Amino acid sequence: METLPSYEDAVASPDWLDLVATYIPIADWPRCCLVDKRFYHQFAPRLWQDPLVTVRRLGLHPNDDLAWYRRFINKHVKPARLKTRSYVRSLDFREFVVRASGLYSSEASERAISESFKNLPQIFPGLLCLLVDGHPELDPGSLATAASASQSLQLLDLARCRHELSTKFFSPGLFRDLVFLDISFIPGSVRSATQTSLNPRYLPELRVLKAQGREVDNATASLLLQTFGRQLWSLDLSYNKLGDDILDDIVEYAVSHFTFHTDAHYEKEGKLVLPKNAGSRKYGPFEFIEESRNSYDSQFLEKYLVDSPFYSQSADHAELQEWQAVRPDGLAAVRRDDADATKRLLLDEAITGNYSTMHDLPLLGSNGLTHLYLNGNKFTATGIERLIRTSRGRLEHFECDSCLYDPSHIRSGSNLKGLRVQGFLVSAPLFRPVISSALRSLRVHHSLVTQVPSVSADGLSRTTAARLAEGQLYKNIRRSYPLALVPDTNPRITSLTLTHIPARSIGPIIEKLTQFLQLASVQQKAIQDARAVFSGRSSSVLKGLRHIRLELEPDFSESTDVISTSDEVDFDRLLDPADDDFAHDTSSFFDDDDGSFGVTSRSTVDNKFRRAKPSTLAEEYSHWTSGRLKSFPYSDIDSEYITQHVDAAQSWTGNVFSVPVWIGPGVIGPHAAVNEYMWNVHDPNLRTDVGPATPNHVAAGVPPFSYIFYAAWDAMVVPRNIAQAARSAGTAPFRDVATAIKEYRLRTRGTERHWDGKLELVRTSR
């Protein structure tokens, strides 16, 4: 049963029937309509508003769907009064007539539904929502030829329709008030549609657009972004053909120009320091994080407080001006942008009538993108990091299930070709509130937490690749980038989904995931303490991380090294498993063999150095135990810094500037990563990609507020002789990740180390 109403809700309702109607079982609605006119006016709208879903809940068998629908449209609806037919607000075909039944084939079913479309606006003049996802043979083209209707659709879900839509499909007035549109996995040109009817002229109220799997390239996406500007607040461009070049257009055209970055939260979060007119096309504007004495203090409970409300010194300016951007306080629920949530909101408002016009709906509020989906494209980690830095902290929900770790810095051995390292290996500090100020929900590759990348190469078996990733690469990443994402990296994040988790692990992935769950319980206890400490100050406390979803790849057999279809894990209620209908495909997508794929940077090295081979001393790094390095640049200068010039072609703003780049003292020190960085600086090909030291670099030993050569630093992630590392990956036994998580949950149940949020384990398919 739903939660009972509060006392305030009970006394505020003018009619007790308004209060109790939502608690009446659906099976009793037909009888309630027969009581009297008062009951009829209360329950008839509920009974008719979503008839296909309602009749299923009343017990209609799926085999009888088509026969019932034909009787409903051709017999029962025609004699009904106009007011009664106006109660129909939604036709949701997603779970209706989804298979052949009785004497009817699936083709006949789809044809019957398609033929009824052209009359829907006249039959149901109050129709708001039409959802046909799951009917690939259905042809919605007749909607474009339907007679004019007094009421426009506000939600249209046409995903996975196999019929190409006319470029003028959205021209009729039937779509003028569309708020939500899903045209994913439909054939046809998005570019042509954008130039004709998929634009603000015909869709002025559109706020949520989903265009997955439409073969959208950078040029088409740029046109779409420029066409809609900041009208949309949710955009899904997953599983297309996008690369790094589109990321700057997303920020330029679709994200609000007003930043959420501020010094107001310096004491608990630190603040950004931006050098004037310094930046690169690869990195974006250079920025440092200036830490406060509390920004890394795990005992500082004020970091769990929500932001204070906005106050104005002038009574004439009680509300925010357009230029006064104040980030969300972190307490309100994240806006839902899926079809189910949108339909529920529209139907609830149709019943209660709280909103007098479409323009009053929460769905319509927009000041640029806050929800962005970029799964299944061809981005590099460097490009995504630039997007996060330059989006001014405006994103509330972000998804990018994988990306290529900067291939320009991977020096694979001659015996191991096609090496691909995927994941967010260095990005954890970017999701701190000081940068990702409004972020509440995140879906990314598991390496952001585990620090273990996904590795593949030509001829490399899955077991060998897994051991290589969790062995040498994991050690190198922890040495050079010590900071992984933990719950307290951003206490404002309430939901986290980790993708592409291997089904089996030799240890590190299991250890990092269980450690993350343990830290989630630590955060949970700290928030309880904060709530107790600040209870007398009328201060609200953040919820912290309450939902974790772990998406595991298909199992594989160590003996045969092929994907196994067996399901060995019992996902019981202990883990709060996901619904059975969740069917996201998180397969790998980097299929190109072009070595230049995804690289957006331009090397600043002189041509004579481009052809230079790495220093012959590189292979002798392990023998360097004492003394100062004697080759350039250490042979020519005594300082720990050298001046590096950045020309206009590589500059973010097109200006020419120079910065002092830290190269280290040139002698062995206490930080292993710094020692290897200094050795790499020998190589002229690695004295490139100047950038500011991030918290990860500082944690590894780099002085704060310094510039370093990113190429020299990143080169230490992948072993110099990757082929040899693969051959010596070892034979450590694999453990089942899901079983290990389950065992950990059993061990912590009933103890203070048990995290009581919602944990989901989902086995995905390639």
Side-chain angles (χ1 to χ4, degrees):
M1 186 175 182
E2 298 182 32
T3 304
L4 292 175
S6 65
Y7 175 79
E8 291 77 8
D9 293 335
V11 299
S13 178
D15 186 350
W16 65 268
L17 196 55
D18 293 334
L19 186 67
V20 304
T22 57
Y23 299 93
I24 301 298
I26 190 172
D28 295 330
W29 289 357
R31 289 192 293 271
C32 288
C33 290
L34 302 176
V35 175
D36 56 23
K37 288 185 178 180
R38 178 163 162 254
F39 270 67
Y40 177 84
H41 291 148
Q42 181 66 243
F43 288 97
R46 301 178 187 275
L47 185 65
W48 280 80
Q49 70 169 350
D50 198 3
L52 305 186
V53 172
T54 300
V55 74
R56 172 74 75 243
R57 295 174 63 185
L58 288 174
L60 180 69
H61 193 279
N63 286 342
D64 299 326
D65 284 354
L66 182 57
W68 182 91
Y69 180 75
R70 285 185 163 180
R71 289 197 305 271
F72 178 67
I73 292 294
N74 299 322
K75 182 178 179 180
H76 298 300
V77 168
K78 289 183 177 180
R81 292 176 298 177
L82 176 62
K83 185 176 182 179
T84 301
R85 287 187 279 116
S86 298
Y87 289 150
V88 176
R89 300 291 188 174
S90 171
L91 290 176
D92 191 343
F93 291 94
R94 291 177 298 175
E95 299 298 328
F96 200 80
V97 197
V98 294
R99 63 186 181 187
S101 59
L103 300 176
Y104 302 104
S105 65
S106 59
E107 182 180 353
S109 302
E110 305 294 358
R111 185 169 59 250
I113 298 174
S114 298
E115 291 173 352
S116 68
F117 274 10
K118 61 183 177 182
N119 298 318
L120 291 183
Q122 288 72 43
I123 298 175
F124 306 116
L127 188 64
L128 298 177
C129 309
L130 180 61
L131 304 96
V132 296
D133 186 1
H135 290 265
E137 299 300 332
L138 191 148
D139 184 3
S142 57
L143 285 172
T145 60
S148 59
S150 58
Q151 174 72 52
S152 168
L153 291 174
Q154 296 176 19
L155 183 157
L156 181 60
D157 182 356
L158 301 177
R160 296 170 182 82
C161 174
R162 294 179 184 174
H163 294 268
E164 182 174 344
L165 301 180
S166 166
T167 57
K168 298 181 180 180
F169 180 84
F170 299 104
S171 302
L174 180 63
F175 308 112
R176 66 179 179 273
D177 288 335
L178 270 185
V179 175
F180 177 103
L181 176 61
D182 191 343
I183 51 173
S184 300
F185 304 104
I186 296 177
S189 170
V190 173
R191 184 179 187 85
S192 298
T194 303
Q195 293 171 334
T196 50
S197 65
L198 184 60
N199 54 56
R201 177 184 176 185
Y202 296 104
L203 304 174
E205 309 299 343
L206 189 64
R207 296 297 182 269
V208 179
L209 175 61
K210 298 184 181 297
Q212 301 183 44
R214 295 300 304 270
E215 298 188 356
V216 175
D217 57 15
N218 288 345
T220 302
S222 181
L223 174 64
L224 187 69
L225 293 165
Q226 294 180 57
T227 299
F228 280 99
R230 294 172 185 83
Q231 176 178 315
L232 305 174
W233 60 262
S234 176
L235 178 62
D236 190 342
L237 293 176
S238 299
Y239 308 107
N240 283 294
K241 297 182 177 180
L242 303 178
D244 286 359
D245 290 343
I246 194 58
L247 299 175
D248 294 334
D249 284 353
I250 292 175
V251 176
E252 175 65 23
Y253 299 117
V255 176
S256 172
H257 284 314
F258 301 104
T259 182
F260 281 157
H261 295 158
T262 174
D263 297 347
H265 310 290
Y266 169 70
E267 284 300 321
K268 62 179 180 180
E269 298 174 2
K271 66 179 181 181
L272 294 178
V273 177
L274 280 71
K276 187 177 181 181
N277 295 327
S280 67
R281 295 185 61 182
K282 182 173 184 177
Y283 181 94
F286 289 164
E287 62 184 24
F288 297 97
I289 296 180
E290 181 179 333
E291 307 289 359
S292 69
R293 62 179 180 178
N294 299 315
S295 56
Y296 264 119
D297 185 358
S298 60
Q299 305 300 317
F300 187 65
L301 296 182
E302 290 188 18
K303 64 186 173 185
Y304 300 117
L305 294 179
V306 302
D307 295 345
S308 301
F310 169 77
Y311 294 101
S312 175
Q313 296 180 347
S314 173
D316 298 333
H317 298 89
E319 296 184 358
L320 285 172
Q321 303 299 307
E322 184 181 17
W323 53 270
Q324 294 175 303
V326 176
R327 72 184 188 183
D329 63 10
L331 194 59
V334 182
R335 277 193 297 183
R336 294 277 301 276
D337 60 349
D338 57 286
D340 286 327
T342 304
K343 185 183 82 167
R344 190 179 309 114
L345 175 62
L346 292 171
L347 296 187
D348 287 348
E349 300 312 330
I351 290 291
T352 61
N354 289 342
Y355 295 94
S356 58
T357 68
M358 266 295 301
H359 296 277
D360 295 326
L361 282 173
L363 283 168
L364 283 178
S366 178
N367 191 17
L369 285 182
T370 59
H371 294 52
L372 182 60
Y373 302 76
L374 298 175
N375 303 304
N377 284 286
K378 297 184 177 181
F379 299 115
T380 66
T382 302
I384 295 297
E385 289 168 1
R386 185 176 70 250
L387 169 71
I388 298 298
R389 277 191 293 265
T390 57
S391 57
R392 296 177 278 275
R394 304 291 303 202
L395 296 179
E396 297 177 20
H397 176 90
F398 179 69
E399 293 192 13
C400 183
D401 60 359
S402 192
C403 58
L404 196 63
Y405 176 70
D406 204 351
S408 64
H409 298 150
I410 294 180
R411 297 175 295 172
S412 59
S414 58
N415 295 326
L416 190 58
K417 299 180 180 180
L419 177 67
R420 300 180 188 276
V421 179
Q422 300 173 29
F424 293 95
L425 311 181
V426 306
S427 311
L430 291 176
F431 296 100
R432 290 174 51 177
V434 67
I435 297 176
S436 299
S437 306
L439 192 64
R440 305 292 307 286
S441 179
L442 183 63
R443 181 175 183 267
V444 289
H445 190 272
H446 70 88
S447 57
L448 190 68
V449 168
T450 64
Q451 297 179 287
V452 177
S454 296
V455 176
S456 63
D458 297 344
L460 193 65
S461 68
R462 289 183 60 180
T463 54
T464 301
R467 289 190 173 99
L468 176 63
E470 293 192 74
Q472 189 62 54
L473 266 66
Y474 173 67
K475 295 177 182 178
N476 292 351
I477 292 167
R478 293 199 66 187
R479 180 174 71 253
S480 53
Y481 294 99
L483 303 179
L485 184 80
V486 297
D488 273 353
T489 298
N490 189 339
R492 301 164 67 87
I493 295 178
T494 59
S495 177
L496 175 66
T497 298
L498 300 179
T499 68
H500 294 287
I501 301 173
R504 298 181 181 274
S505 165
I506 62 173
I509 288 179
I510 292 175
E511 293 170 4
K512 294 292 289 189
L513 291 176
T514 54
Q515 181 187 55
F516 188 83
L517 291 173
Q518 180 180 356
L519 292 175
S521 70
V522 172
Q523 182 195 69
Q524 175 180 273
K525 179 62 167 59
I527 289 177
Q528 294 172 354
D529 294 341
R531 191 172 287 116
V533 170
F534 300 113
S535 60
R537 304 188 189 180
S538 300
S539 300
S540 297
V541 178
L542 296 170
K543 298 177 182 179
L545 188 60
R546 304 309 302 154
H547 173 233
I548 299 174
R549 179 184 175 92
L550 306 179
E551 297 183 359
L552 282 75
E553 293 182 331
D555 200 0
F556 62 91
S557 171
E558 186 173 0
S559 58
T560 60
D561 199 23
V562 296
I563 297 177
S564 171
T565 58
S566 63
D567 186 5
E568 302 175 1
V569 184
D570 177 23
F571 298 115
D572 59 14
R573 293 183 180 180
L574 171 67
L575 299 170
D576 292 320
D579 294 336
D580 293 338
D581 60 356
F582 189 91
H584 287 297
D585 183 0
T586 56
S587 61
S588 179
F589 47 83
F590 295 104
D591 299 324
D592 295 341
D593 291 325
D594 182 4
S596 63
F597 144 74
V599 183
T600 59
S601 63
R602 294 189 177 94
S603 175
T604 58
V605 185
D606 187 87
N607 285 336
K608 64 181 180 180
F609 287 139
R610 285 183 191 271
R611 297 186 296 270
K613 295 182 179 180
S615 172
T616 56
L617 297 176
E619 298 178 358
E620 302 174 9
Y621 168 66
S622 60
H623 301 296
W624 178 39
T625 57
S626 62
R628 192 173 191 272
L629 295 172
K630 298 180 180 180
S631 59
F632 184 84
Y634 304 99
S635 60
D636 291 16
I637 58 175
D638 295 328
S639 172
E640 295 186 13
Y641 295 84
I642 61 173
T643 300
Q644 181 77 0
H645 299 279
V646 179
D647 60 32
Q650 281 72 50
S651 171
W652 176 251
T653 58
N655 64 312
V656 178
F657 66 93
S658 61
V659 293
V661 179
W662 186 74
I663 60 172
V667 296
I668 291 287
H671 303 287
V674 170
N675 295 336
E676 188 167 355
Y677 167 73
M678 292 187 295
W679 190 269
N680 290 339
V681 170
H682 276 117
D683 187 346
N685 295 299
L686 297 179
R687 291 198 292 272
T688 63
D689 296 342
V690 173
T694 68
N696 246 321
H697 297 122
V698 174
V702 176
F705 301 101
S706 297
Y707 295 96
I708 63 172
F709 291 117
Y710 275 20
W713 192 273
D714 292 344
M716 70 180 78
V717 170
V718 178
R720 290 182 173 85
N721 193 333
I722 186 67
Q724 177 61 35
R727 286 193 294 269
S728 58
T731 58
F734 284 96
R735 296 173 57 199
D736 187 275
V737 173
T739 300
I741 297 295
K742 179 178 179 179
E743 292 172 349
Y744 172 81
R745 296 285 281 174
L746 286 172
R747 290 197 304 270
T748 60
R749 174 183 281 183
T751 71
E752 63 178 14
R753 295 187 298 122
H754 186 76
W755 177 70
D756 61 10
K758 182 178 182 181
L759 174 64
E760 297 181 66
L761 279 177
V762 180
R763 183 84 70 187
T764 62
S765 60
R766 285 191 177 274

